[in-house]
Amino acid sequence: MDDAPPEATGKANPFTVVPIEITISVGKARPLIRDLLKLTRDSVLPLDRRVEDPVELYVGDRLIARGELEEMEGDNAGQLAVRLTEVTDLSGEL
């Protein structure tokens, strides 16, 4: 058998170029139903996290990483981004 990595033999896995959706969780809200029914435009719904708390990155329901929200600069100024601070080991889990 050939022990060379797939990229070296030209047999790269075609799934590596398929985009995947990552959900970024910044927190949860737990209002009472009576308070939920009162929500209108400009209502404020408090979350269980602070601005400086880490966010969590999920693929489906699997936590894959944690990070910090930051604002992009340059050509993408104002766009939100996540700087990863912790990545789970996903090797061998597929």
Side-chain angles (χ1 to χ4, degrees):
M1 255 182 101
D2 188 2
D3 289 335
E7 298 81 18
T9 62
K11 299 177 187 174
N13 186 329
F15 291 111
T16 61
V17 296
V18 175
I20 189 164
E21 185 170 290
I22 297 175
T23 301
I24 313 298
S25 175
V26 297
K28 294 179 183 171
R30 290 187 171 42
L32 298 173
I33 292 176
R34 69 171 175 245
D35 296 331
L36 185 64
L37 294 172
K38 294 178 189 175
L39 292 178
T40 62
R41 181 184 170 110
D42 293 327
S43 292
V44 175
L45 189 60
L47 300 177
D48 63 351
R49 302 259 182 103
R50 302 184 62 79
V51 170
E52 63 273 4
D53 286 347
V55 296
E56 297 174 330
L57 290 75
Y58 290 91
V59 172
D61 61 355
R62 179 167 296 209
L63 177 67
I64 61 161
R66 288 188 176 86
E68 301 168 345
L69 287 178
E70 62 179 53
E71 190 173 332
M72 301 278 296
E73 297 176 358
D75 292 341
N76 296 320
Q79 183 177 353
L80 279 177
V82 177
R83 180 174 303 277
L84 300 183
T85 58
E86 178 184 339
V87 179
T88 59
D89 181 12
L90 298 174
S91 62
E93 291 194 28
L94 295 178

